[in-house]
Amino acid sequence: MWRSWPTKGQEKAAHPHMDFYIWDPEWGPAFIKTNAYAPWPIWIYLNGHEWAKAQCDKAGIAYESLDNGFRSCAEPKKLQRICDRLG
């Protein structure tokens, strides 16, 4: 899905910013952000915590999630090994 909005402080600007939200099986939720003016910059936002959660789901490791992290994990050593792989 996508959305378009004016940048804060530039509400009267003629060009909007756009976000495209995606879900990836390896990374979980992510989004692509772009502008409608030259040089047409594009940013891709991936979240390492969401990646680690997706890897825990695939490995069957139980955890309690926070918005941007983990509250608890049934197998913290395995979670640490998963997190170490990302770096």
Side-chain angles (χ1 to χ4, degrees):
M1 84 177 162
W2 67 277
R3 74 178 181 119
S4 177
W5 80 101
T7 301
K8 186 175 181 178
Q10 297 179 356
E11 290 81 6
K12 296 181 182 185
H15 51 79
H17 292 260
M18 300 178 80
D19 281 348
F20 296 89
Y21 295 91
I22 57 175
W23 187 88
D24 181 85
E26 290 294 317
W27 281 93
F31 65 95
I32 299 170
K33 187 186 251 187
T34 185
N35 292 330
Y37 58 90
W40 299 286
I42 296 174
W43 301 270
I44 300 173
Y45 291 86
L46 304 169
N47 185 313
H49 291 109
E50 295 299 332
W51 177 83
K53 291 174 192 178
Q55 302 311 303
C56 285
D57 291 341
K58 289 169 77 174
I61 299 170
Y63 62 88
E64 187 177 350
S65 179
L66 296 172
D67 286 341
N68 196 21
F70 294 86
R71 178 181 302 279
S72 64
C73 179
E75 301 180 57
K77 289 183 180 182
K78 288 184 180 180
L79 172 59
Q80 184 62 59
R81 284 195 297 269
I82 286 171
C83 293
D84 290 343
R85 286 186 357 225
L86 185 59

